[in-house]
Amino acid sequence: VALSTIDRSAVERLHLAYVDAIDDDRLEEWPGLFTAECSYRIASRENVRRGLPLAVMRCDSRDMLHDRVHAIRTTAFYVNRTVRHLGGMPDVRTAEGGDGLAVRASFAVYESLPRAATTLLCVGVYDDVVVEDPDDGELRFRQRHCTYDGDLVVDSIVYPI
Amino acid sequence: VALSTIDRSAVERLHLAYVDAIDDDRLEEWPGLFTAECSYRIASRENVRRGLPLAVMRCDSRDMLHDRVHAIRTTAFYVNRTVRHLGGMPDVRTAEGGDGLAVRASFAVYESLPRAATTLLCVGVYDDVVVEDPDDGELRFRQRHCTYDGDLVVDSIVYPI
Amino acid sequence: VALSTIDRSAVERLHLAYVDAIDDDRLEEWPGLFTAECSYRIASRENVRRGLPLAVMRCDSRDMLHDRVHAIRTTAFYVNRTVRHLGGMPDVRTAEGGDGLAVRASFAVYESLPRAATTLLCVGVYDDVVVEDPDDGELRFRQRHCTYDGDLVVDSIVYPI
């Protein structure tokens, strides 16, 4: 299937599956939305602008994403937090080189703690490369770079953005 | 018309009409977006997770929704508040049993009070069942279950979520 | 090309280009999304409701929008702020008179300042008229009226909403 036939709604479904896995606390499904070799990164807008290699989170393969989920599941956090993503409409473009689709979308992530009001955790933008996985033809993230605005207490990043 | 022909944009229009009726303070139009027999519920994520029947608001028919609007219109509130919904993209699936569409969408609701900054009221997820109303073929909610994250002062729920 | 053939996704792309130009700090591209004669306005919901002509920002041509960008670029602000828009799905309707499309969409704008958490600047609704520009056939805003809820410190409106 040619990449040009990937429709926008397939990309939207991938975005929705991503949000659903995290917000519904089915984190184990999250790595499966990425290709085996992939690039997942969370970095601040300021660092991205300066071209600094500093990232709050960086995973270069699906296995590393699985490790991350394992770490989250086995860490004793003081509080049970839940997160909620609100994503803007995806801006779907052909990726440079014609291999896959470049997709941008704004996001806001909210956090809720027990017996507390919900608060804004961060806002930012996703820079994705979405491809049809040669393994099975499924649409997956080969890249999801999360760039957040403002300053963020690094400890507060527990779940994926 | 077969349900399979309900397109995604028709569901989006229903979601937009819902938000518009509430945010534009045309609450009287809100019950008309539901079927005569319906289930509207606002409950906390924690209670839903525990399977508890506690709900902040629960209406089982369009008539009850009308009653709710009447109650809002005739109650003297201390302040005039306005609300603003931001909804995520709807995730449209075939409902179990094939009758209607199951639709999920994240939401954020903001509240504004006179001479005050806008604040976040709550975030959460809608679990809808959308059907073509046999009465006239219009697309309507047979179910809208609003599950909000975090803790919410129950008194603060004045308008529908 | 008849206006009826403007599809929803073309309107979405215009909305995305608007957000992208502002949030990516490519403000110089922002006026090009409007027709030469246009109406851009930022006003409070309360003033709009009362029919008051007060607006926080009002531009009646693309040239005035360019002037606004020039003013922003040459003003020395105390802090470097960045903004992030989250837009709801656009509600696309035929404009009265059949000339162009009337489009409504909810928005939330977040602001980030150096060494500070991100905060909500405002929420509200866009009332747009989108037309195919007779100059080159491109889809542009002939009107974008931004109505924000709540009270807003006028000084805080630096970038376009």
Side-chain angles (χ1 to χ4, degrees):
Chain A
V1 179
L3 281 166
S4 60
T5 64
I6 299 177
D7 65 355
R8 178 194 176 77
S9 70
V11 173
E12 289 181 353
R13 280 195 297 274
L14 180 64
H15 277 220
L16 289 167
Y18 179 97
V19 164
D20 229 33
I22 300 171
D23 293 1
D24 252 17
D25 201 19
R26 293 181 281 103
L27 279 183
E28 285 70 15
E29 299 179 13
W30 171 66
L33 302 173
F34 290 78
T35 55
E37 298 295 307
C38 60
S39 173
Y40 179 79
R41 189 183 73 185
I42 304 176
S44 75
R45 180 171 178 153
E46 189 57 18
N47 283 344
V48 170
R49 194 183 62 79
R50 293 183 183 179
L52 297 178
L54 305 168
V56 174
M57 201 188 293
R58 181 187 297 271
C59 298
D60 294 325
S61 69
R62 192 191 290 154
D63 285 343
M64 286 179 71
L65 297 173
H66 277 299
D67 287 348
R68 180 82 201 177
V69 172
H70 182 71
I72 293 169
R73 292 303 193 200
T74 55
T75 302
F77 295 109
Y78 295 108
V79 291
N80 275 317
R81 68 188 73 204
T82 60
V83 289
R84 183 69 61 188
H85 288 71
L86 246 88
M89 295 180 293
D91 190 3
V92 181
R93 303 171 187 181
T94 308
E96 287 176 32
D99 184 12
L101 296 172
V103 184
R104 294 200 102 201
S106 299
F107 64 80
V109 185
Y110 301 89
E111 185 175 61
S112 301
L113 299 146
R115 285 167 299 283
T118 297
T119 55
L120 179 69
L121 181 62
C122 64
V123 299
V125 66
Y126 294 123
D127 281 298
D128 304 333
V129 176
V130 169
V131 297
E132 283 184 333
D133 196 326
D135 289 351
D136 59 4
E138 288 290 310
L139 215 59
R140 293 201 172 87
F141 296 109
R142 191 167 61 200
Q143 175 192 295
R144 168 150 275 196
H145 287 177
C146 317
T147 304
Y148 61 87
D149 300 348
D151 275 344
L152 196 58
V153 179
V154 172
D155 290 350
S156 69
I157 303 271
V158 172
Y159 289 102
I161 292 295
Chain B
V1 179
L3 282 166
S4 60
T5 65
I6 300 177
D7 66 355
R8 180 195 175 76
S9 70
V11 173
E12 289 181 353
R13 280 195 298 276
L14 180 64
H15 276 220
L16 289 166
Y18 179 97
V19 164
D20 229 34
I22 300 171
D23 293 1
D24 252 16
D25 201 19
R26 294 181 281 103
L27 279 184
E28 285 70 15
E29 299 179 14
W30 173 64
L33 302 173
F34 290 79
T35 54
E37 299 294 307
C38 61
S39 173
Y40 179 78
R41 188 182 74 184
I42 304 175
S44 74
R45 181 172 178 152
E46 188 59 16
N47 283 344
V48 170
R49 194 183 63 80
R50 292 186 183 177
L52 297 178
L54 304 168
V56 174
M57 201 188 293
R58 181 188 295 270
C59 297
D60 294 325
S61 69
R62 192 192 289 152
D63 285 343
M64 286 179 71
L65 297 172
H66 278 298
D67 287 348
R68 180 81 201 177
V69 173
H70 182 72
I72 293 170
R73 292 303 194 201
T74 54
T75 302
F77 295 109
Y78 294 108
V79 292
N80 276 316
R81 67 187 75 203
T82 60
V83 289
R84 182 71 59 191
H85 288 70
L86 245 87
M89 294 180 294
D91 191 3
V92 181
R93 303 171 188 182
T94 308
E96 288 176 31
D99 184 14
L101 296 172
V103 184
R104 293 199 104 203
S106 299
F107 65 79
V109 186
Y110 301 90
E111 185 174 63
S112 300
L113 299 147
R115 284 166 301 284
T118 297
T119 55
L120 178 68
L121 181 60
C122 63
V123 300
V125 66
Y126 294 123
D127 281 298
D128 304 334
V129 177
V130 169
V131 298
E132 283 184 333
D133 195 328
D135 288 353
D136 59 3
E138 288 290 311
L139 215 58
R140 294 202 170 88
F141 295 109
R142 191 168 60 198
Q143 175 192 296
R144 168 149 276 195
H145 287 178
C146 317
T147 304
Y148 61 86
D149 299 347
D151 275 343
L152 196 58
V153 179
V154 171
D155 290 351
S156 69
I157 302 272
V158 173
Y159 288 102
I161 292 295
Chain C
V1 179
L3 282 167
S4 59
T5 65
I6 300 177
D7 67 354
R8 179 194 176 77
S9 71
V11 172
E12 289 181 354
R13 281 195 297 274
L14 180 63
H15 277 220
L16 288 166
Y18 179 98
V19 164
D20 229 34
I22 299 171
D23 293 0
D24 252 16
D25 200 20
R26 294 181 280 103
L27 279 183
E28 287 70 15
E29 298 178 14
W30 171 65
L33 302 173
F34 290 79
T35 55
E37 299 294 309
C38 60
S39 173
Y40 179 78
R41 188 183 74 183
I42 303 175
S44 75
R45 180 171 178 155
E46 188 58 19
N47 284 343
V48 170
R49 194 182 64 79
R50 292 185 182 177
L52 296 177
L54 305 168
V56 174
M57 200 187 296
R58 181 187 296 271
C59 298
D60 294 325
S61 69
R62 192 192 290 153
D63 285 344
M64 285 179 72
L65 297 173
H66 278 298
D67 286 349
R68 180 81 201 179
V69 173
H70 182 71
I72 293 170
R73 292 302 194 200
T74 54
T75 302
F77 296 109
Y78 293 109
V79 291
N80 275 317
R81 68 187 75 205
T82 60
V83 290
R84 182 71 59 188
H85 288 70
L86 244 87
M89 295 179 292
D91 190 3
V92 181
R93 303 171 187 182
T94 307
E96 288 176 31
D99 184 12
L101 296 172
V103 184
R104 295 199 102 202
S106 298
F107 64 80
V109 185
Y110 301 90
E111 184 175 63
S112 300
L113 299 148
R115 284 167 301 284
T118 297
T119 55
L120 179 68
L121 182 60
C122 63
V123 300
V125 66
Y126 294 123
D127 281 298
D128 303 334
V129 177
V130 169
V131 297
E132 283 185 331
D133 195 327
D135 289 352
D136 60 3
E138 288 290 311
L139 215 60
R140 293 202 172 87
F141 295 110
R142 190 167 60 199
Q143 174 192 296
R144 168 150 275 196
H145 287 177
C146 317
T147 304
Y148 61 87
D149 300 347
D151 274 345
L152 197 57
V153 179
V154 172
D155 289 350
S156 68
I157 302 272
V158 172
Y159 288 102
I161 292 295

